[in-house]
Amino acid sequence: MLTLLIGIIVVVGACYLGFVFYQRRTIKMATDVYENKRDLNKIPLDDEFALAKKLNLTGESQKKYDQLYNKYQHYKNQMLPSIDEGIAEVKDDGKGINFIKTRNDWQNANQAIEDANSELKEIQAGLAQLYDLNKQHHLALEELEKKYKRLREELLNKNESFGTSIDHLEKMLADIEGTFDEFTQLTKSGDPNSAEEVLSDLNASTSKLESYMERIPKLNSMLTKEFNDQLQEIQTGYKELTAKHYNFPKDHFPQTIKRIRTQIKASLKQLENLDVDVVAKSVEDVADAIDHLYDALDLELKARPHVEKNTKVIGEYIAHVRKQNSDLALRLESLNKSYVLNHQEIENNHQYDQQIATIEKQYAKQTQAIKTGQAVFSVIDQEQQKMMKDLGQIEALQKELFQSTIQLPSKEKQARSSLAKFDLEMRNKKRRIDNHNLPGLSDDYQDAFAAVIREINHLNDAMSKPQIDMDDISKQVIIIQSDMDTLDDKTNKLIDNATLAEQTIQYANRFVSSSPEIAAANKQARLYFDQKYDYQKSLDTISKALEKQSSGMFTKIRDDYFAAKKRVGSTKKNDDH
């Protein structure tokens, strides 16, 4: 029982302490809200409205001021009292135990203070804008007044540089000054908002006038003086050159000069009406057209010395190439009697002749035009450059053709020398074989030997013709040389095998009575040697049997043979030297 009583006392005590803590927290929340509200009173807007009223605002600016003042009255008469009520509610709520309502009232009071603070900042910014515009417009008045004074003086002192545009420029300045008077009146009367709109137009018009005054003098100078001087210079130069028999491709000089003068006249009228951008584009076009006329004159002046110099050179070059082609034609005609010309040499020579004739015709036309004073030197200069290039190509091809044909007699001489060498080598091969007194030759070797003989005879027949084909003969020489090398290898191998087989059989005779195997091999080797003329098999048969009987013996016989052969070869070479 006592325990329950103590528990009740503890619970009641805890509730009491919680309630006391809640009341103190509520009082602090109310105090914080009140302190936040006090910050709103630190901005002295009453004084600022009093100063703004002294600006003597009118029109749109007065409307703006009235809107700001009405907002301020709403802030003072409605927003502030509402905040005070909210603070009072927070304090009253603190006496009860409705925690949720207390917190909502506290949040609402704080939100009201934030809204009031935002309202104050908007009002203050609006007043600052009125002050700034007023200050800026007074400064603009001073600057613009100085600028218009300078522009008037410039129009007066430099009126000649503006040409016929001066009247429109002065009118433009007068219109701008009228707008400036309106801006001045609005500024002094205290309507900075309306003055700001006028100032924007005023600045745009002034910038446009300044741009015109900066650009027009140069455009006017080019249209009234510079272009006319250039056209006069071109016209004079054109007359002097045509008098000296200069001509121009598609000559439209007089018409072009007339068109440019008309364009200049139209541009001056446009400049008078201040169509400056249009005139600027027209001036660019006129300048380009005049540059093209200068370039045309300069092109002919520079081309003539080239043409006068190259005309003589090309004439001599044509004669040289023509003679060279004629000499080449005679040579080809002579060679064609003894040789078959397989590479269209004669046809190519005729083609060069036609190309030279075309160049000669063009050259004659050029020289006639120069003689009669009708030459367009720039055109002839380009034609002559191509003619020089074409003549150079023809000359190079002629030399190439000449080099290919000049070698025919020397190639024939080399081929005849090769034919004689082949014949001698075949005789020597036959003599070498005969000197070894062999019992016979294999069919394979005899066929290879006969094939080379037939090839040599075919070459001899080809070279005995009245008109020989050196391409075919050169191919035959290459083939015969290859077959001769092959036959030479076969001959050497045949003689080596036959000699070694004979020496080995003779050496093996020592063992015939004592070795049945060598006796049988010796008999078989003799059969290959004497009857079948297969000296390779004969050597293989007896050498294998001998090696079985006495290892290393055949190797010694073979090495001794090739060593002796080498010594004989060296001695022969020394005797030849």
Side-chain angles (χ1 to χ4, degrees):
M1 188 67 180
L2 180 61
T3 303
L4 178 61
L5 181 61
I6 293 172
I8 293 170
I9 292 171
V10 171
V11 171
V12 171
C15 290
Y16 175 76
L17 289 174
F19 180 73
V20 170
F21 174 76
Y22 167 72
Q23 282 189 324
R24 289 182 179 180
R25 185 171 179 276
T26 304
I27 292 170
K28 185 178 183 305
M29 291 168 64
T31 303
D32 290 343
V33 174
Y34 179 75
E35 289 297 325
N36 290 338
K37 188 247 181 182
R38 286 179 61 186
D39 291 339
L40 298 176
N41 297 326
K42 293 179 181 179
I43 303 175
L45 285 183
D46 288 325
D47 295 339
E48 291 189 25
F49 272 103
L51 289 173
K53 199 165 186 179
K54 291 179 181 180
L55 295 176
N56 296 322
L57 301 173
T58 61
E60 291 298 323
S61 300
Q62 182 63 47
K63 290 180 182 178
K64 179 70 173 178
Y65 173 85
D66 292 341
Q67 290 173 358
L68 293 173
Y69 187 76
N70 290 335
K71 279 188 175 183
Y72 183 57
Q73 293 303 312
H74 176 263
Y75 161 77
K76 284 175 41 175
N77 299 328
Q78 295 184 31
M79 297 185 79
L80 287 181
S82 177
I83 291 171
D84 291 337
E85 291 176 4
I87 294 171
E89 286 183 7
V90 173
K91 287 181 178 180
D92 291 340
D93 291 341
K95 298 175 183 178
I97 60 171
N98 192 340
F99 304 124
I100 296 176
K101 184 176 186 304
T102 302
R103 182 166 184 79
N104 287 339
D105 290 342
W106 175 77
Q107 288 178 340
N108 291 336
N110 276 321
Q111 184 62 49
I113 291 172
E114 287 183 12
D115 293 342
N117 187 43
S118 298
E119 189 81 358
L120 277 177
K121 288 180 179 178
E122 287 182 10
I123 294 170
Q124 193 175 30
L127 288 172
Q129 186 181 25
L130 287 176
Y131 284 126
D132 288 343
L133 282 176
N134 186 65
K135 183 179 179 180
Q136 290 172 14
H137 291 165
H138 279 86
L139 290 173
L141 279 173
E142 296 177 10
E143 292 296 324
L144 288 172
E145 201 162 11
K146 292 177 183 177
K147 184 177 288 187
Y148 297 143
K149 182 180 178 181
R150 177 179 59 79
L151 292 175
R152 279 194 297 271
E153 289 176 354
E154 189 173 343
L155 284 175
L156 180 63
N157 296 331
K158 300 180 181 179
N159 61 352
E160 290 185 2
S161 67
F162 298 108
T164 56
S165 302
I166 187 66
D167 291 339
H168 284 82
L169 289 173
E170 288 177 345
K171 182 180 182 304
M172 188 175 180
L173 178 59
D175 292 341
I176 291 172
E177 287 176 332
T179 307
F180 175 71
D181 291 340
E182 181 185 354
F183 171 68
T184 302
Q185 183 62 34
L186 289 169
T187 300
K188 290 181 178 179
S189 66
D191 191 358
N193 280 71
S194 298
E196 181 66 17
E197 296 179 5
V198 175
L199 179 61
S200 178
D201 295 338
L202 193 59
N203 284 330
S205 300
T206 304
S207 296
K208 191 173 185 180
L209 176 61
E210 287 180 315
S211 174
Y212 285 173
M213 290 177 65
E214 182 181 353
R215 298 168 65 190
I216 285 174
K218 183 178 180 181
L219 295 173
N220 183 66
S221 175
M222 295 181 76
L223 291 169
T224 57
K225 188 177 187 308
E226 186 176 334
F227 287 159
N228 286 329
D229 292 345
Q230 290 174 339
L231 288 173
Q232 186 59 46
E233 184 180 41
I234 290 170
Q235 203 163 22
T236 301
Y238 173 76
K239 288 180 180 179
E240 290 177 356
L241 291 180
T242 52
K244 295 177 182 178
H245 304 298
Y246 282 86
N247 298 283
F248 301 88
K250 298 180 181 179
D251 187 358
H252 300 304
F253 264 80
Q255 298 92 323
T256 303
I257 291 172
K258 183 178 179 181
R259 177 181 58 77
I260 292 174
R261 290 192 186 281
T262 301
Q263 188 173 355
I264 290 172
K265 187 176 179 181
S267 296
L268 282 170
K269 186 64 179 175
Q270 291 169 331
L271 193 62
E272 178 183 344
N273 295 325
L274 303 185
D275 293 332
V276 179
D277 291 335
V278 175
V279 173
K281 179 62 173 66
S282 178
V283 164
E284 287 183 9
D285 294 341
V286 170
D288 288 343
I290 289 176
D291 286 344
H292 288 150
L293 292 177
Y294 272 119
D295 291 342
L297 294 174
D298 189 55
L299 183 63
E300 297 306 320
L301 278 170
K302 290 180 178 178
R304 185 165 189 168
H306 295 165
V307 171
E308 290 174 345
K309 175 185 175 182
N310 290 333
T311 298
K312 181 180 178 182
V313 173
I314 290 175
E316 294 173 351
Y317 203 174
I318 291 173
H320 164 71
V321 175
R322 166 59 70 194
K323 182 178 184 305
Q324 192 163 275
N325 212 59
S326 298
D327 293 343
L328 189 57
L330 292 173
R331 178 173 182 78
L332 290 173
E333 184 179 351
S334 175
L335 288 172
N336 196 39
K337 294 176 182 177
S338 302
Y339 301 97
V340 176
L341 302 178
N342 292 317
H343 303 287
Q344 295 184 318
E345 289 88 348
I346 294 176
E347 292 83 352
N348 290 338
N349 178 252
H350 288 161
Q351 185 179 354
Y352 304 154
D353 188 75
Q354 293 173 359
Q355 292 174 352
I356 295 169
T358 300
I359 295 174
E360 284 175 331
K361 185 177 180 181
Q362 188 178 25
Y363 177 75
K365 184 178 178 182
Q366 292 172 356
T367 53
Q368 179 64 21
I370 295 171
K371 183 178 180 181
T372 58
Q374 297 177 341
V376 178
F377 293 107
S378 62
V379 174
I380 293 178
D381 187 27
Q382 290 183 345
E383 291 175 349
Q384 287 185 340
Q385 290 178 29
K386 186 176 184 304
M387 290 164 70
M388 291 286 285
K389 182 179 178 182
D390 292 343
L391 288 169
Q393 290 178 342
I394 292 172
E395 185 180 29
L397 291 170
Q398 287 175 336
K399 288 179 180 178
E400 186 179 331
L401 180 56
F402 178 78
Q403 289 298 324
S404 67
T405 57
I406 198 175
Q407 296 175 8
L408 289 174
S410 62
K411 286 182 178 180
E412 179 188 0
K413 184 177 179 181
Q414 291 175 1
R416 292 192 183 280
S417 176
S418 296
L419 177 62
K421 183 189 74 170
F422 294 152
D423 184 68
L424 179 61
E425 286 184 4
M426 293 302 289
R427 293 178 186 276
N428 288 337
K429 281 182 177 57
K430 187 174 186 307
R431 191 177 299 112
R432 282 182 64 198
I433 294 171
D434 292 343
N435 289 339
H436 281 81
N437 295 316
L438 297 175
L441 298 173
S442 66
D443 293 341
D444 177 63
Y445 182 82
Q446 290 186 71
D447 290 342
F449 194 94
V452 174
I453 293 294
R454 286 195 299 273
E455 289 173 355
I456 293 173
N457 291 335
H458 186 270
L459 175 62
N460 183 63
D461 292 341
M463 297 194 68
S464 300
K465 294 179 180 179
Q467 190 181 32
I468 62 177
D469 186 344
M470 282 309 304
D471 286 348
D472 178 59
I473 287 171
S474 297
K475 291 177 184 177
Q476 288 190 52
V477 169
I478 293 171
I479 292 170
I480 293 172
Q481 183 61 63
S482 176
D483 291 345
M484 284 283 289
D485 292 340
T486 302
L487 184 62
D488 194 48
D489 290 340
K490 286 185 176 183
T491 302
N492 289 332
K493 189 174 182 181
L494 181 145
I495 292 172
D496 290 342
N497 288 337
T499 304
L500 277 171
E502 192 170 22
Q503 290 179 3
T504 306
I505 289 171
Q506 290 175 359
Y507 186 83
N509 283 335
R510 303 177 186 182
F511 305 100
V512 169
S513 58
S514 60
S515 174
E517 289 185 3
I518 289 188
N522 193 50
K523 182 178 180 181
Q524 185 65 38
R526 276 291 177 187
L527 177 65
Y528 283 128
F529 192 95
D530 294 331
Q531 298 181 24
K532 297 186 178 180
Y533 318 129
D534 191 341
Y535 306 114
Q536 177 70 56
K537 281 190 177 182
S538 177
L539 177 61
D540 291 343
T541 301
I542 194 61
S543 63
K544 288 179 182 178
L546 187 60
E547 278 295 307
K548 287 182 180 180
Q549 178 66 32
S550 178
S551 178
M553 184 55 64
F554 172 71
T555 302
K556 184 176 184 307
I557 294 171
R558 183 186 62 196
D559 292 345
D560 289 345
Y561 167 75
F562 282 112
K565 182 179 179 181
K566 186 176 181 181
R567 286 195 298 273
V568 172
S570 299
T571 302
K572 186 177 180 180
K573 285 184 179 179
N574 291 332
D575 292 343
D576 291 340
H577 288 301

